[in-house]
Amino acid sequence: MRDQGCATRSESDAFGPIEVADSALWGAQTQRSIQNFPIGGAAARMPLPVVRAFGVVKKCAAQYNVDAGRLEPRLGQAIVQAADELIAGALDEHFPLVTNMNVNEVLSNRAIQLLGGVVGSKSPVHPNDHSSNDSFPAAMSIAAATELERSLLPSLEALRAALTAKAAEFASIVKIGRTHTQDATPLTLGQEFGGYAQQIAYGASRVRAALPRLQELALGGTAVGTGLNTVEGYGEEIAARIASETGLPFAPNKFEALAAHDAMVEASGALNVLACSLNKIANDESSLCLQTSRARSSIMPGKVNPTQCEALTMVMGNHVAITVGGAQGHFELNVFKPLMISNLLSSTRLLADSCRCFTKSCVAGIEPNRARIRQLMESSLMLVTALNPHIGYDKASQVAKKAHAEGTTLIEAGGPAGLGFFTPEQFAQWVVPEQMVGPAPKK
């Protein structure tokens, strides 16, 4: 049945004829999948980095087969040109599914166009004859490694550098520390930001550590890892070609990369650690970032919301689905591939984008209110901790409790007018916030 108002062409697959929109470069198998699996809508489509990765796989495979004498040069060149267009994003509209056959049909039809043939004719480039069965796991690896290497890691490095710069800038600002949401002993604002920078550095190192396994390709394993219908050395050669094409060190791993996706779970785990770190940093910095936020309350005049910080706290969650996906599948094939790569790329994109925004719109513009920081630090009753070595813990506790109960200062509560534990001169000598931000020097 032809769609009203939409010109179609008739194509066929193993199940018989089916109508495909004339404007579409996909074919019968993709069209049948669209009709059989109307699940999730456009929002559930596979991320475009997988499309780009498929283009790399098909391009390198075509070049290999031409060099090996298994594919006519004119057909190979047409496939390579179509793959280059796919990699560049020129064919994005033709991927409603992003399956292996969706890619094969689009590339074959585009190659047929380039050769002056009729779209849908499957001649002279056939979507199945010029296909490989282990492409999707390879595309997963390429897409994930590429996005981590070229998108997430640079954004993390920029954030780490910005936090490190602020740590140096704020090295002399002494503030009151906080634990259990209450005042604690002093530290410098620089020390606080140095801790944030270290969290990001560690998170980035975890991502880098996950890359080598993620760069192991299933190509050459075909159905179950044995390499049936390939020739000896194909897996190694195609991995080398993909490494050359992408600039990333891909290598073959036929059996494990087909049957399991532990590398995906490991990479997701690294992203989860990073997401936890960013959540902590965002919550800690939310009050500082108010000064750089442009988000105003829509109902409360003058209220500014820490939206850049809030964006960093909304990334965790994908890891649970990836963990479940990694544990599934049976024997030589894990079939949860679409779930895993979709969620991994989602986490990668969210983390990369939110880190870039956070660096630009929050960290880079932070200017601490030094007078207010000093006021809060000097009025904190937790400065009493500096008295411990001089009057003992019990007396220091009495001073703090008295000051808190009466709403006075430590010197008023513990000095001559209060408990009489010290003189004003002793208090000034013993309680020096700048000396409380590190260990005492050795004598």
Side-chain angles (χ1 to χ4, degrees), residues 3 11 33 40 136 170 178 194 201 205 215 246 248 281 294 355 387 418 438:
D3 295 334
E11 288 205 23
S33 293
F136 195 85
F170 302 155
R178 289 185 174 84
S205 71
Q215 292 165 341
T246 61
L248 299 177
I281 293 169
R294 295 184 179 88
C355 282
L387 297 175

Side-chain angles (χ1 to χ4, degrees), residues 96-181:
L97 297 179
V98 193
T99 62
N100 185 43
M101 281 312 304
N102 189 172
V103 175
N104 287 344
E105 290 179 334
V106 169
L107 287 181
S108 67
N109 278 326
R110 179 57 184 147
I112 289 169
Q113 281 184 331
L114 294 170
L115 292 167
V118 177
V119 170
S121 65
K122 301 182 182 179
S123 178
V125 181
H126 195 288
N128 291 93
D129 290 347
H130 303 101
S131 174
S132 58
N133 195 40
D134 45 13
S135 297
F136 195 85
M140 289 172 64
S141 297
I142 295 168
T146 301
E147 290 301 299
L148 290 174
E149 185 73 46
R150 297 178 182 172
S151 181
L152 179 58
L153 285 174
S155 72
L156 291 179
E157 176 54 31
L159 176 55
R160 185 206 61 78
L163 290 169
T164 300
K166 289 297 180 182
E169 180 183 344
F170 302 155
S172 63
I173 301 177
V174 180
K175 58 163 287 186
I176 198 66
R178 289 185 174 84
T179 61
H180 303 284
T181 70

Side-chain angles (χ1 to χ4, degrees), residues 388-418:
N388 287 2
H390 306 285
I391 65 175
Y393 181 92
D394 291 337
K395 287 184 177 180
S397 295
Q398 293 179 47
V399 173
K401 290 179 179 178
K402 181 177 176 64
H404 177 69
E406 298 176 357
T408 60
T409 64
L410 293 175
I411 193 169
E412 290 172 327

Side-chain angles (χ1 to χ4, degrees), residues 271 315 318-319 322 342-352:
L271 298 185
V315 182
N318 281 337
H319 181 55
I322 293 172
S342 178
N343 279 27
L344 185 69
L345 291 174
S346 172
S347 293
T348 302
R349 175 69 183 270
L350 289 171
L351 287 168

Side-chain angles (χ1 to χ4, degrees), residues 58-393:
K58 304 299 181 178
K59 176 181 180 179
C60 292
Q63 291 173 328
Y64 169 87
N65 284 308
V66 168
D67 291 346
R70 304 178 69 188
L71 181 65
E72 293 181 45
R74 71 185 189 95
L75 302 186
Q77 182 54 44
I79 293 172
V80 167
Q81 183 176 339
D84 280 334
E85 293 179 5
L86 187 154
I87 294 168
L91 305 178
D92 287 352
E93 63 181 301
H94 300 285
F95 289 91
L97 297 179
V98 193
T99 62
N100 185 43
M101 281 312 304
N102 189 172
V103 175
N104 287 344
E105 290 179 334
V106 169
L107 287 181
S108 67
N109 278 326
R110 179 57 184 147
I112 289 169
Q113 281 184 331
L114 294 170
L115 292 167
V118 177
V119 170
S121 65
K122 301 182 182 179
S123 178
V125 181
H126 195 288
N128 291 93
D129 290 347
H130 303 101
S131 174
S132 58
N133 195 40
D134 45 13
S135 297
F136 195 85
M140 289 172 64
S141 297
I142 295 168
T146 301
E147 290 301 299
L148 290 174
E149 185 73 46
R150 297 178 182 172
S151 181
L152 179 58
L153 285 174
S155 72
L156 291 179
E157 176 54 31
L159 176 55
R160 185 206 61 78
L163 290 169
T164 300
K166 289 297 180 182
E169 180 183 344
F170 302 155
S172 63
I173 301 177
V174 180
K175 58 163 287 186
I176 198 66
R178 289 185 174 84
T179 61
H180 303 284
T181 70
Q182 303 175 74
D183 283 4
T185 57
L187 78 165
T188 70
L189 192 58
Q191 289 171 328
E192 194 170 71
F193 272 71
Y196 301 151
Q198 185 60 35
Q199 282 183 277
I200 299 303
Y202 176 72
S205 71
R206 287 288 304 270
V207 173
R208 290 191 185 93
L211 280 171
R213 286 192 70 196
L214 207 56
Q215 292 165 341
E216 296 176 350
L217 300 179
L219 277 179
T222 63
V224 296
T226 61
L228 178 67
N229 291 342
T230 67
V231 296
E232 186 176 355
Y234 170 74
E236 291 71 21
E237 173 67 19
I238 199 67
R241 287 175 180 266
I242 291 173
S244 177
E245 177 73 18
T246 61
L248 299 177
F250 288 101
N253 179 358
K254 302 170 188 176
F255 290 97
E256 193 261 356
L258 272 173
H261 287 300
D262 295 345
M264 291 282 165
V265 179
E266 180 182 359
S268 180
L271 298 185
N272 195 53
V273 171
L274 181 62
C276 288
S277 296
L278 290 169
N279 191 88
K280 178 68 165 60
I281 293 169
N283 285 332
D284 288 354
E285 281 197 34
S286 59
S287 60
L288 290 170
C289 284
L290 286 175
Q291 299 175 58
T292 58
S293 177
R294 295 184 179 88
R296 304 284 175 172
S297 169
S298 60
I299 189 172
M300 292 171 278
K303 184 175 184 293
V304 181
N305 298 318
T307 51
Q308 290 295 335
C309 292
E310 290 166 354
L312 282 184
T313 66
M314 301 184 187
V315 182
M316 291 182 291
N318 281 337
H319 181 55
V320 174
I322 293 172
T323 302
V324 173
Q328 300 302 313
H330 301 92
F331 306 111
E332 279 67 53
L333 186 67
N334 183 315
V335 298
F336 279 64
K337 301 180 193 323
L339 165 73
M340 298 182 74
I341 188 58
S342 178
N343 279 27
L344 185 69
L345 291 174
S346 172
S347 293
T348 302
R349 175 69 183 270
L350 289 171
L351 287 168
D353 288 353
S354 59
C355 282
R356 277 191 290 270
C357 290
F358 185 67
T359 302
K360 176 183 177 181
S361 301
C362 180
V363 177
I366 288 177
E367 291 293 338
N369 186 332
R370 296 171 187 253
R372 180 60 174 163
I373 289 174
R374 186 74 186 179
Q375 179 187 21
L376 291 172
M377 187 268 299
E378 291 179 342
S379 64
S380 175
L381 298 183
M382 286 303 97
L383 295 179
V384 73
T385 308
L387 297 175
N388 287 2
H390 306 285
I391 65 175
Y393 181 92

